[in-house]
Amino acid sequence: MGHMPIPSAVPSRAELIDHLIRTRIAGDVATPRENNLSHYRKLANGDRHYWLGLELGDRWTDEQDVLAVMAERCGVVDDPEYRSGQDTIDPELTVGALDRMASVLRKAAEASERVLFATGHPGGLLEVHRATAAALRAAGCEIVEIPGGLQADEGYVFQFCDVAMLERGATLWHTHSPAPMAAILDGLAHEGRPLPDLVVADHGWAGCAGQRGIDAVGYADCNDPALFLGESEGTLSVVVPLDDHVTSPRFYDPMTAYLLDAAGLSAQF
């Protein structure tokens, strides 16, 4: 699959859906059903690691309620008796969420908003965020520069290509933690600088921003239910369902091109 041809032009909706299925960004994804249900159960049991920075209280203590939201917003199999095997992400839901995210990005560009980008999945989504940040910068938005010297989770929070990430031992770190985003927002407040108007992120970076009342949009996998629960409650504006780490990060390029075109932004690859 690493040699799969990638469309070079902005894909149509139908072309993008076909591409998402072929690359397993959506459709029959690599995440097994057992893993999904385990995460839904742990979230419902109050394991904060799976809350991704959101404060869910006692509103989601039933695993079946979590599954129902994931079936509705992500497209996993809705049968609670389906316990093992292949699980799915509905590509129609992926593209529909991309269209909604595009509307948010278009409004941000029109208002020249301050936008902060961050990722806990640098091996998969860094280029998606980088290209989106570059397009918004070209459209007149201010891409928020984070304070220097921030630390969280035994690492450093820094920016690379306009995207905030966690770094440990000279390695970009995969993290679900909300602590790095909390460090950024607290650091901005400490310096007397305005908070972002919009955060575009994933994992706990998006959850933390939304929980603090900042307009937040992001990406989430089918085994990360918290952000979809946040979207259902209105804490996050848009969450795009996708496999957030497929075999090549270049597979996301057509998706990014579609998103930026729908937002009226020029692709910045």
Side-chain angles (χ1 to χ4, degrees), residues 18 49 104-105 121 145 148 160 162 173 175 206 211 215 228 230 244 247 251 260 266:
D18 177 68
H49 175 77
V104 174
L105 297 179
H121 241 302
E145 180 179 341
F160 178 69
D162 283 334
W173 208 255
T175 178
Q211 186 63 45
D215 192 13
F228 295 101
D244 54 17
T247 56
F251 290 164
L260 298 182
S266 298

Side-chain angles (χ1 to χ4, degrees), residues 252-267:
Y252 297 107
D253 286 357
M255 181 193 80
T256 309
Y258 177 93
L259 170 68
L260 298 182
D261 182 72
L265 301 170
S266 298

